[in-house]
Amino acid sequence: MLKVTLLEHTPDPERVVAMAARLCYSSSGAAELAEKLSEERVKEMVEKIVSLGHASCLEHVSFTFGVEGVSRVLTHQLVRHRIASYDQQSQRYVAAHGFQYITPPSIAENPEAKEKFDQIIGQIREAYDALTELGIPKEDARYVLANATETKILVTMNARTLLHFFNLRCCNRAQWEIRAMAYQMLALVKNVAPTLFHNAGASCVNTGRCPEGKMTCGKFNEMMKLRED
């Protein structure tokens, strides 16, 4: 089962963003600015920075997530987000005997498809076990493993990258598994930086318009309701 945990983040991230923004236009030093900024002023500055798109200030704060119960399908998509750091459970060193696997809802809801899917996974498990029993090292036996194989990954992104990640992966057109992960991540960061991530989400939620053109999901009004809520 998908589980996302916010393991670490920059302390008082919104104050750091406000301090970075203020430093650009002040002769004072960073430490002095941090002391002078009231909570109200921090909120005002973060709102202004986000609305103006001055995103460089957002790069000074980062968030580290532990992600479990996801497939290799998801992580192959995730690492396409370049400005981030990743460490994934190794199939070279961690044995995959009896590996857990992720079943897409479309397959789980179709008994015939589910039976075939589980049967193939069972054959893959048997093949992996047989290869390792023949003395094949784990780093080579893993070549038979399925994309459905469950994995774990540690992810660190700065706030600028996260906003872009949410633009793409909270969209209804994103693949279901990574979209579910993105929504869990968004809920977690909103708890610690509510102003910074106030309008974060799919591009339509973030900007008030759908960028998908003819490829739109057709649920613009529904998505905008999320923004209002």
Side-chain angles (χ1 to χ4, degrees):
M1 179 179 294
L2 170 64
K3 180 182 178 182
V4 182
T5 305
L6 180 58
L7 300 174
E8 298 286 347
H9 62 82
T10 302
D12 206 348
E14 295 185 340
R15 179 169 293 273
V16 173
V17 170
M19 183 177 63
R22 188 73 184 88
L23 183 66
C24 296
Y25 304 100
S26 174
S27 59
S28 300
E32 183 181 352
L33 287 172
E35 293 177 359
K36 289 181 177 180
L37 289 170
S38 66
E39 290 300 318
E40 182 179 357
R41 184 60 176 148
V42 166
K43 186 175 186 297
E44 290 175 355
M45 293 196 70
V46 172
E47 287 176 343
K48 183 175 182 180
I49 286 299
V50 172
S51 67
L52 293 175
H54 291 178
S56 64
C57 300
L58 311 184
E59 296 176 10
H60 295 286
V61 298
S62 63
F63 302 81
T64 298
F65 305 88
V67 182
E68 303 176 36
V70 294
S71 70
R72 287 266 168 167
V73 170
L74 183 148
T75 57
H76 289 329
Q77 297 175 79
L78 180 60
V79 296
R80 293 175 64 192
H81 295 271
R82 306 285 196 265
I83 313 301
S85 298
Y86 306 102
D87 277 290
Q88 185 170 7
Q89 185 181 61
S90 173
Q91 291 181 336
R92 184 182 185 191
Y93 298 109
V94 179
H97 301 293
F99 64 87
Q100 298 300 306
Y101 58 96
I102 309 303
T103 304
S106 61
I107 294 177
E109 295 165 2
N110 184 319
E112 184 178 354
K114 179 70 162 54
E115 183 181 357
K116 290 182 178 180
F117 186 79
D118 290 341
Q119 182 181 31
I120 291 171
I121 293 294
Q123 292 172 355
I124 291 172
R125 283 175 168 172
E126 291 175 1
Y128 180 87
D129 291 346
L131 288 171
T132 56
E133 287 172 6
L134 289 170
I136 304 300
K138 292 189 292 292
E139 65 177 24
D140 292 337
R142 63 179 166 169
Y143 277 71
V144 302
L145 294 176
N147 274 338
T149 303
E150 187 270 341
T151 188
K152 301 170 180 63
I153 191 166
L154 197 73
V155 184
T156 299
M157 294 183 180
N158 66 46
R160 183 178 191 172
T161 296
L162 269 175
L163 286 172
H164 181 251
F165 174 79
F166 294 142
N167 281 174
L168 298 178
R169 302 304 184 173
C170 290
C171 176
N172 282 332
R173 295 196 63 249
Q175 188 257 355
W176 66 269
E177 189 181 14
I178 198 168
R179 184 172 69 245
M181 184 190 74
Y183 271 110
Q184 285 198 28
M185 292 168 65
L186 178 55
L188 290 168
V189 295
K190 275 189 171 182
N191 284 334
V192 298
T195 304
L196 182 55
F197 294 102
H198 175 64
N199 282 334
S203 292
C204 57
V205 174
N206 186 242
T207 65
R209 64 179 184 83
C210 176
E212 295 293 328
K214 293 182 179 180
M215 300 296 289
T216 181
C217 70
K219 298 180 179 180
F220 179 77
N221 292 333
E222 180 181 323
M223 294 298 289
M224 292 309 294
K225 182 67 165 54
L226 293 176
R227 176 174 176 170
E228 293 170 8
D229 294 342

